[in-house]
Amino acid sequence: MLTLSAKLKTASIVAIAMASFAATPVLAEDITLWTLNFDNNAANGALKKVATDFEAANPGTHVEIVQRAVDEHKTALRVAAGSDKGPDIYFSWAGLGLGGEYVKAGLSLPLDKYYTEYKWTDELLPSAAAFADLYPGGKHGVPFTFKGEAVYYNKKLFEQAGIKEEPKTYEELLAAADKLKAAGIPAFTFGGTVNWHVMRLMDVILETKCGAEKHDALKAMTLDWTKEPCATDGFAEFAKWTKDYTLQPFMGIDNKQSYSLFTAGRAAMMLEGDWLVSQLNGSGANLDDYGIFPFPTNTERLYGFAEYNYISTKSKNPDTAAKFLDYFLSTKVQQDLLGQLSSTSVNKNVQYANQKPLEAEWLGIFQKYGKVYMNGDQAFPLDVTTEYFRVINDVASGNTEPAEAAKQLQTFIASRT
C-alpha cells in the first residue's frame, strides 16, 4: 500500500507527464500520394496546387506527391503490394485489368464507409463512379478522371486528300483512309514501342468486327478466341491497317514521337483521349486546325476508360486520405480544375462555360454516348494484357498470321485455368 508521500510523488510524475504531453505538438497527419508524371504539365501543376490548398485548409496536414513514369509507377505499386510499406493514396486505372491487379493483391482499401460518409455517389457522374463496383468485397477507389478516346484529325490534310466530311461509319473511315493513302498521306500515327498505344487500334477494330456483345465476351474470356470468327477477322483487319494506313515505321517510335509527327502534319489522324486538347493547347498548336470524331465502330459505344485514386491498405492515416479525396472531388475544386486534368469533370455538378471548340465537341460526345467499352489493358487481367500486347506486336510486325494470333491468345487464356 502506497504511503501518502509515495502517492504525492506518483501524482507529481503523472502531472509532469501530462503537462509534457500537452506541450508536445500534435503529430502532423502526413499522407503520400503516388501518381503519374503527366504529359500535360498543367495537370501536374494543378494537382500540386490541390495538395497545397488542402494543407492550408487543414493545418498540421502535409501531402507528399510522388510522380513517376507509367512503367515505373506500376513497378512501385507491385513492390508495395508485396511489402508492409506503401503510399496512402495511389493512382491506377479502373477496371479488372490494371486496377484489379492491385485490388486482388490486397493493396486497395474498401471505401464503402467513406462513400456513405461523404455521399460521393451524389456528386459523381454515374459513368465515372460505376468502376468502383467492379471488384468483389466492396467499393474500391474514386474517380480521378473519366477519359474518352476518339479520332483527332488534321483538317488541312483531310482537305488535301479530298475528304469533305467526318466519317460516320466504318466504311466511310476506310474510304477516307484510301483517299489519304492515294494522296501520299499516312492515315494514322501510333507509337509502336509503347504497347498500350498501338493496342488502341486493335481494341476499336475488335469492337467494329465483333460488335458490343461478342467483344465484351472475348475480353471477359468467356468466348473462345479461336471459335469466334470475328476475333480472327479483327486481327486480319488490324494487320491491314498497320500495313496500309499507318505512318511507317510506327513500331520504332513511341507515343510522344507519334504526337510530334501528328502535329507536324506527317499523318492525318491520331486515336487519342480528350486530354489531348490541353496538350495541343499547351504546346501552342492552333486548335482550329483539328477536329474530332468517335472511331466509327457502328456499335454506338464510346471507347474510354476511367482513372482512379485508391486508398492503400498500407496507409497509417486512411481517414485523412479519404478527407483529401473528398476535397479533391468537391464541386468547387473540380470546377477550378476543369480543363487542366480533363475537358470534363467526374463531378456532375460542375458547370461548363467559355469552352474551346474542341472541348465543346468532347462534351457533346460525352452527352451523346451512354455506353462505353474499355481499353484492353483494363478489361484483361495483367498477365493476359501482357500476352495481348505481345500478340498484337507480332501481328503488327508481320511475324504472326491473324488465325495464329487468335490461337496463341486463347492458348494462353486456357493455360491460366
Side-chain angles (χ1 to χ4, degrees):
M1 186 173 180
L2 292 175
T3 64
L4 178 60
S5 174
K7 287 180 179 179
L8 290 172
K9 184 176 181 181
T10 300
S12 176
I13 292 171
V14 171
I16 292 170
M18 292 297 291
S20 175
F21 178 82
T24 302
V26 177
L27 293 176
E29 290 287 321
D30 294 343
I31 57 173
T32 302
L33 166 63
W34 287 6
T35 189
L36 297 185
N37 186 13
F38 298 101
D39 290 337
N40 176 14
N41 285 328
N44 295 322
L47 191 58
K48 290 173 183 176
K49 184 178 185 302
V50 171
T52 300
D53 290 348
F54 178 77
E55 291 171 346
N58 295 272
T61 300
H62 174 65
V63 181
E64 180 185 4
I65 300 178
V66 178
Q67 293 181 279
R68 299 181 176 94
V70 173
D71 290 340
E72 288 78 7
H73 178 68
K74 293 177 186 176
T75 299
L77 289 177
R78 291 183 192 119
V79 172
S83 70
D84 59 356
K85 295 181 180 179
D88 295 278
I89 302 169
Y90 67 90
F91 167 100
S92 187
W93 296 263
L96 297 177
L98 291 175
E101 174 193 359
Y102 310 119
V103 173
K104 186 176 180 181
L107 186 60
S108 173
L109 184 73
L111 304 183
D112 301 71
K113 73 171 186 176
Y114 297 122
Y115 268 86
T116 300
E117 178 181 350
Y118 291 112
K119 299 180 180 179
W120 284 334
T121 303
D122 294 339
E123 279 199 299
L124 297 172
L125 284 172
S127 54
F131 292 84
D133 296 315
L134 292 177
Y135 315 105
K139 290 179 175 291
H140 286 268
V142 294
F144 176 68
T145 61
F146 179 63
K147 305 289 191 180
E149 293 159 284
V151 178
Y152 289 76
Y153 69 95
N154 185 312
K155 293 179 180 179
K156 293 178 181 178
L157 294 183
F158 264 40
E159 183 179 354
Q160 185 177 327
I163 304 168
K164 301 184 183 304
E165 294 182 352
E166 296 176 354
K168 294 181 176 59
T169 66
Y170 184 67
E171 294 71 26
E172 290 178 0
L173 179 61
L174 285 178
D178 284 330
K179 286 184 177 180
L180 288 163
K181 183 178 180 180
I185 304 168
F188 271 92
T189 178
F190 289 94
T193 65
V194 184
N195 292 322
W196 46 265
H197 205 243
V198 71
M199 171 202 70
R200 295 173 182 169
L201 179 59
M202 186 67 210
D203 286 345
V204 296
I205 287 175
L206 279 173
E207 177 79 1
T208 304
K209 288 295 181 180
C210 294
E213 186 175 345
K214 289 182 178 179
H215 185 196
D216 286 348
L218 286 169
K219 291 288 177 62
M221 300 178 291
T222 59
L223 193 60
D224 192 314
W225 286 70
T226 61
K227 294 180 180 177
E228 177 47 60
C230 76
T232 298
D233 291 345
F235 278 117
E237 193 75 1
F238 172 78
K240 177 178 173 60
W241 273 91
T242 58
K243 178 182 177 182
D244 294 342
Y245 301 132
T246 54
L247 180 65
Q248 299 292 342
F250 78 95
M251 291 302 289
I253 62 175
D254 64 17
N255 58 309
K256 293 181 180 180
Q257 292 169 307
S258 177
Y259 168 79
S260 296
L261 291 170
F262 175 66
T263 55
R266 295 280 300 280
M269 292 180 276
M270 280 192 80
L271 180 54
E272 275 290 347
D274 57 283
W275 60 86
L276 198 72
V277 177
S278 295
Q279 191 174 343
L280 286 167
N281 190 51
S283 64
N286 184 355
L287 297 183
D288 293 336
D289 290 339
Y290 303 97
I292 311 170
F293 61 89
F295 192 99
T297 60
N298 306 339
T299 64
E300 297 303 315
R301 297 203 301 180
L302 180 65
Y303 189 41
F305 63 92
E307 297 169 326
Y308 265 41
N309 281 319
Y310 299 79
I311 295 181
S312 168
T313 52
K314 316 297 180 182
S315 175
K316 299 286 194 297
N317 297 310
D319 290 345
T320 305
K323 188 175 183 180
F324 174 77
L325 292 178
D326 182 62
Y327 179 79
F328 174 79
L329 294 172
S330 66
T331 302
K332 181 183 183 305
V333 172
Q334 286 291 307
Q335 189 76 59
D336 292 342
L337 289 173
L338 193 61
Q340 298 180 75
L341 299 181
S342 180
S343 58
T344 56
S345 171
V346 297
N347 185 310
K348 66 184 180 184
N349 300 316
V350 165
Q351 300 296 312
Y352 297 86
N354 301 319
Q355 287 187 301
K356 298 177 177 65
L358 287 184
E359 292 173 336
E361 282 194 60
W362 266 116
L363 185 57
I365 289 171
F366 285 129
Q367 290 172 339
K368 176 182 178 182
Y369 287 86
K371 296 180 180 180
V372 177
Y373 63 103
M374 289 191 300
N375 295 46
D377 58 359
Q378 295 193 41
F380 280 135
L382 179 64
D383 58 338
V384 181
T385 292
T386 302
E387 180 67 4
Y388 186 51
F389 286 163
R390 185 194 68 77
V391 171
I392 289 171
N393 290 342
D394 278 354
V395 173
S397 301
N399 297 326
T400 299
E401 293 298 317
E404 179 62 22
K407 180 180 178 181
Q408 289 180 10
L409 185 57
Q410 184 60 39
T411 298
F412 183 86
I413 291 170
S415 71
R416 302 173 70 251
T417 57

